């Protein structure tokens, strides 16, 4: 495959991952607001936000690493 095609495919993949992570952060934020003080629901929503942020961070780091490697090809 051409180097440009690889970059395009990876941009689509990482863009999708980032969009899904932001969607999950938004959904978890809404769940947190709507938990009405229920400790179990609040904890689940907080964990969802934390996991989404960790996933987003990993996706950003992976994108940087992949672009660095593909740039060397």
């Amino acid at each position: 495959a051409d180097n440009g095609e690889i970059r395009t495919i990876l941009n689509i993949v990482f863009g999708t991952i980032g969009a899904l992570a932001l969607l999950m952060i938004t959904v978890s934020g809404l769940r947190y607001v709507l938990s009405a003080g229920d400790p179990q629901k609040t904890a689940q929503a907080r964990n969802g936000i934390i996991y989404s942020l960790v996933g987003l961070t990993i996706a950003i780091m992976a994108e940087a690493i992949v672009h660095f490697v593909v740039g060397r090809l």
Side-chain angles (χ1 to χ4, degrees):
D2 184 65
N3 200 0
E5 291 174 358
I6 294 172
R7 285 177 186 247
T8 303
I9 292 169
L10 291 174
N11 283 337
I12 292 170
V13 169
F14 287 122
T16 304
I17 291 170
L20 288 174
L22 290 174
L23 177 66
M24 290 306 298
I25 291 169
T26 304
V27 169
S28 295
L30 283 172
R31 288 177 57 199
Y32 187 83
V33 169
L34 298 174
S35 67
D38 182 352
Q40 186 176 6
K41 288 182 180 179
T42 303
Q44 285 178 339
R46 186 179 304 124
N47 285 341
I49 292 170
I50 291 170
Y51 297 150
S52 298
L53 288 172
V54 169
L56 186 60
T57 303
I58 290 171
I60 290 170
M61 291 187 332
E63 182 177 16
I65 291 169
V66 168
H67 278 293
F68 178 75
V69 171
V70 169
R72 297 273 177 155
L73 296 177

